[in-house]
Amino acid sequence: MSASERPVVDLFIIGGGINGCGIARDAAGRGLSVTLAEMGDLAQGTSSASTKLFHGGLRYLEYFEFRLVREALKERETLLAAMPHISWPMRFVLPYSPDMRFESDTPTSRLLGLVMPWMKGRRPAWLIRLGLFLYDNLGGRRILPGTKRLDLARDPLAAPLKPGFRLGWEYSDCWVQDSRLVVLNARDAAARGATILTRTRVTHAERAGDLWQVTTEGPDGPQSHRARALVNAGGPWVEDVIRNVAHIQSAEGVRLVRGSHIVVPRLYDHDRCYFFQGTDGRIIFAIPYEQDFTLIGTTDMDHQGAPGAARCSDEERDYLCAFASRYFAQPVTPDQVVWTYSGVRPLYNDGAKSATAATRDYVLSLDDRGPPLLNVFGGKITTYRRLAESAMARLARFFPQCGGDWTAGVALPGGDFPVDGVAALIARLQADYPFLSPRLSRRLVRTYGTDAHALLAGAKGMADLGRDFGAGLTGTEVRWLMDREYARSAEDILWRRTKLGLHMDEEQARELDRFVKGQ
């Protein structure tokens, strides 16, 4: 179909990460026609390589980013209510050590250095408690419990730690399955009328009168599209889209910051996370992960080279192992690492001296010299929904028919049950399908929520679910992921729609890939 024959859409969105899919969902729900093109798989870049937290960003308080922290804290509970299957509350243990330091260039460090120079960059206990008080109260917390003081000389939560920690605190944040969040936003956008094109690269975009003329290269070859507005949500590629796809001169750009993580066999038996502060001013998390593992991260390093080539370096792996080993009684060693991943954060280039200090806030830049172009810089996974609302506020004047804000509290697919209803949903699934193991029932609910019943509909036994690929993955689930969640390869399924790649060997992965590509 030629561009002249294809209907003009209101928004054409470049990028299938969390910001692109969040904007597509929001816009489609307002009654706008939307096409989104992603050059690879949904969430293939930064959006599947986060620390997987809905959090306010406790350390951002040191940079006086109070607006960003407040917005993120408010969003935690809004998002939790909309997706209780893929997001849930977590408690974080923050042990205190007198050796904790600020990064030297944070506003808090500079201020404390002026009024209390004898501290020599140390984080005093009273300041950490003040930060946690602000963290509890800036965002109007309603669901999550507040901070409590821990006596680590007696508390069992100190058992995995080296002896000597006496003081600590426990506070709340939320876990989220980041790549599933992206896919569910895309699914909901499509259900509301959006067209989602994966494996479809935008090769050229230009203004032609009152419209954008967009050329894509995808599975069906070159295609042309026309749109009233263009949204560049290219993530780490946002600058490349501006200069090499739209061919627009702009002084704005991104600072690419690599965040790497390691995964090791489970280091302790309880469900709490640990928040560790280092002697270099950095922080890392140690988080229970996929039932059998512990996730440790992240680093913050300026990234050179192609965004898609980001890998956890040996230096970063060793840094994370050494950092965690300063706290854990049993050292974390490189030979324990079973998986690493690394993502590139496309932070707005605000001229900060260090990668850690660069702002995590988002910047929306509107070029309205002709049909509008909205460029999305930066952002956090926690504030994606608010970013989408802000993007639509910038574009609303071009679309008088556009509806108002609507996404707050509206469930994503599978999330239409109470925040505290996971256990009941698992119990109901096991009652309806008694052949499921408890582990598989839990995974299906944590992956699909109420959609787990639709996925299993009519099955009387495991044999009815088709081929067993290992780790509880069946042919029925694979077909669901292909038909409804845009999966096109084993990698899509094992490392983005799920994390079953941690539980399967290379031959099982190859068998799955042959099955997917042979369908």
Side-chain angles (χ1 to χ4, degrees), residues 266-282:
R266 188 162 184 163
L267 297 175
Y268 50 88
D269 293 331
H270 60 75
D271 62 356
R272 307 297 205 280
C273 313
Y274 289 95
F275 178 116
F276 295 149
Q277 303 180 78
T279 55
D280 60 356
R282 288 282 301 125

Side-chain angles (χ1 to χ4, degrees), residues 14-218:
I14 302 174
I18 188 54
N19 290 334
C21 291
I23 293 170
R25 178 191 185 225
D26 192 313
R30 295 172 190 258
L32 300 187
S33 54
V34 178
T35 296
L36 179 148
E38 161 56 44
M39 64 180 177
D41 182 30
L42 298 173
Q44 188 164 312
T46 304
S47 294
S48 61
S50 74
T51 310
K52 309 181 195 312
L53 299 176
F54 280 151
H55 67 131
L58 181 58
R59 71 180 181 86
Y60 304 152
L61 292 173
E62 291 182 10
Y63 296 91
F64 297 168
E65 296 220 40
F66 297 113
R67 188 212 64 79
L68 173 62
V69 174
R70 182 174 183 273
E71 181 176 272
L73 289 172
K74 291 176 68 175
E75 277 297 282
R76 289 183 312 181
E77 299 196 3
T78 300
L79 298 174
L80 181 62
M83 55 196 80
H85 51 327
I86 64 166
S87 179
W88 53 89
M90 277 188 161
R91 295 288 280 173
F92 288 73
V93 176
L94 195 167
Y96 177 71
S97 166
D99 294 330
M100 293 170 180
R101 293 291 190 276
F102 291 105
E103 274 211 320
S104 60
D105 61 350
T106 72
T108 302
S109 177
R110 292 195 296 268
L111 179 62
L112 204 64
L114 286 174
V115 300
M116 301 176 68
W118 60 89
M119 295 298 297
K120 297 181 180 180
R122 291 193 296 271
R123 283 185 174 107
W126 64 262
L127 189 64
I128 294 174
R129 185 63 189 93
L130 174 61
L132 288 167
F133 173 81
L134 291 173
Y135 206 68
D136 277 347
N137 293 285
L138 273 176
R141 179 176 48 84
R142 301 180 309 277
I143 300 173
L144 301 174
T147 297
K148 73 174 186 178
R149 190 179 186 277
L150 299 176
D151 178 0
L152 293 180
R154 301 180 179 182
D155 199 299
L157 292 174
L161 303 177
K162 287 181 175 179
F165 292 103
R166 305 190 65 83
L167 172 63
W169 297 273
E170 185 181 79
Y171 72 94
S172 292
D173 263 321
C174 296
W175 177 259
V176 63
Q177 298 183 59
D178 53 5
S179 48
R180 288 209 58 74
L181 173 66
V182 178
V183 170
L184 295 183
N185 270 272
R187 275 187 58 194
D188 201 50
R192 298 174 190 276
T195 298
I196 308 295
L197 305 174
T198 62
R199 270 76 177 185
T200 301
R201 181 184 295 272
V202 176
T203 57
H204 184 72
E206 65 178 347
R207 289 179 167 110
D210 294 333
L211 300 174
W212 278 96
Q213 188 86 22
V214 180
T215 304
T216 60
E217 181 72 38

Side-chain angles (χ1 to χ4, degrees), residues 322-345:
F323 198 144
S325 296
R326 287 197 290 271
Y327 281 85
F328 285 122
Q330 294 296 320
V332 180
T333 57
D335 62 292
Q336 292 176 276
V337 175
V338 298
W339 185 48
T340 69
Y341 68 89
S342 188
V344 176
R345 304 181 187 97

Side-chain angles (χ1 to χ4, degrees), residues 383-403:
T383 53
Y384 89 90
R385 191 195 65 83
R386 289 295 302 273
L387 183 152
E389 284 187 344
S390 297
M392 295 312 302
R394 299 295 302 276
L395 292 168
R397 64 186 171 94
F398 302 100
F399 301 103
Q401 80 278 23
C402 183

Side-chain angles (χ1 to χ4, degrees), residues 305-386:
R311 299 291 183 272
C312 178
S313 67
D314 290 348
E315 177 189 4
E316 289 173 294
R317 178 202 63 198
D318 294 347
Y319 170 83
L320 292 171
C321 287
F323 198 144
S325 296
R326 287 197 290 271
Y327 281 85
F328 285 122
Q330 294 296 320
V332 180
T333 57
D335 62 292
Q336 292 176 276
V337 175
V338 298
W339 185 48
T340 69
Y341 68 89
S342 188
V344 176
R345 304 181 187 97
L347 307 182
Y348 186 72
N349 194 353
D350 61 355
K353 291 182 181 179
S354 72
T356 304
T359 182
R360 266 56 177 175
D361 210 346
Y362 57 82
V363 175
L364 303 175
S365 176
L366 181 65
D367 179 346
D368 57 2
R369 296 169 294 181
L373 165 64
L374 185 71
N375 295 305
V376 180
F377 296 93
K380 287 162 42 71
I381 195 166
T382 313
T383 53
Y384 89 90
R385 191 195 65 83
R386 289 295 302 273

